[in-house]
Amino acid sequence: AELKRRGLTVLRTDNTGHEGTRARGASAKRDDVGASWLLRPDEHTPGVFSLVPTKRRSAPGRSGALTFRRHTDEAGLLHFDPVEGAGAPTFGQRLHEARVLLDRIGVPRDSGQRKAREAGMEELRRMEAAGEPVPPISARDLERAQKERRLVIEVVTDHGEEV
């Protein structure tokens, strides 16, 4: 409670017990958490896992599972990489594609999210009609990307050159 009062994030792990469906005393343990995720191994691919959301108390955030591959490198360090082609691209990948698209079509960084979304969606429709590869991004991804782009502060020298 004190950590929450101070606005600090706390991560707590637990196991699901021998039943595999819920931890013993789970209701009491989960009453004070804002979000709960279940780690599940992929049934067909060794080393691939998904974090599946099971409970969310606060405003909605990511709604789907996070799928990743666990592996060690030559030095023995453990890595967790997003799994390519395991369903939808990660949020970071979609946001990157949205920023690239907005830059490519010349949407100014100081435009509003609605204008960026409309311009981006129009370009996606044009790409699809022309038979070009269309990045897997949504209208919401375009809005979030524009919000990020607006937050970027351009530093300008006395001579008007970007630094």
Side-chain angles (χ1 to χ4, degrees):
E2 179 61 21
L3 293 172
K4 280 187 174 182
R5 186 183 69 73
R6 292 182 184 194
L8 299 172
T9 299
V10 177
L11 179 67
R12 182 174 61 211
T13 61
D14 195 4
N15 66 49
T16 55
H18 78 282
E19 292 179 23
T21 57
R22 66 178 188 87
R24 293 183 54 164
S27 60
K29 293 181 203 174
R30 286 195 308 242
D31 281 346
D32 65 336
V33 298
S36 176
W37 297 71
L38 183 62
L39 179 65
R40 292 191 176 143
D42 187 279
E43 294 177 3
H44 306 291
T45 312
V48 174
F49 300 85
S50 292
L51 280 171
V52 181
T54 59
K55 173 195 170 196
R56 183 174 317 278
R57 179 182 298 181
S58 58
R62 181 178 173 85
S63 58
L66 299 168
T67 303
F68 58 92
R69 179 177 309 280
R70 180 186 70 183
H71 65 93
T72 54
D73 64 14
E74 302 81 33
L77 297 175
L78 185 60
H79 294 269
F80 299 92
D81 298 323
V83 173
E84 300 294 329
T90 65
F91 175 68
Q93 291 167 329
R94 293 190 334 260
L95 208 55
H96 171 73
E97 291 284 344
R99 284 191 303 267
V100 167
L101 178 75
L102 294 173
D103 286 339
R104 185 174 56 77
I105 64 175
V107 174
R109 288 182 180 269
D110 60 351
S111 288
Q113 291 178 16
R114 183 179 57 80
K115 288 191 180 207
R117 180 192 69 231
E118 290 170 356
M121 293 305 291
E122 182 178 325
E123 176 63 8
L124 291 173
R125 286 188 292 275
R126 185 205 64 75
M127 292 170 71
E128 185 174 26
E132 298 174 18
V134 179
I137 55 178
S138 67
R140 182 143 171 100
D141 294 332
L142 290 163
E143 290 173 353
R144 288 180 177 172
Q146 183 63 12
K147 184 176 181 181
E148 275 188 8
R149 292 171 81 233
R150 287 182 61 125
L151 293 175
V152 173
I153 299 171
E154 293 180 349
V155 179
V156 179
T157 66
D158 292 342
H159 304 291
E161 299 173 21
E162 286 188 27
V163 177

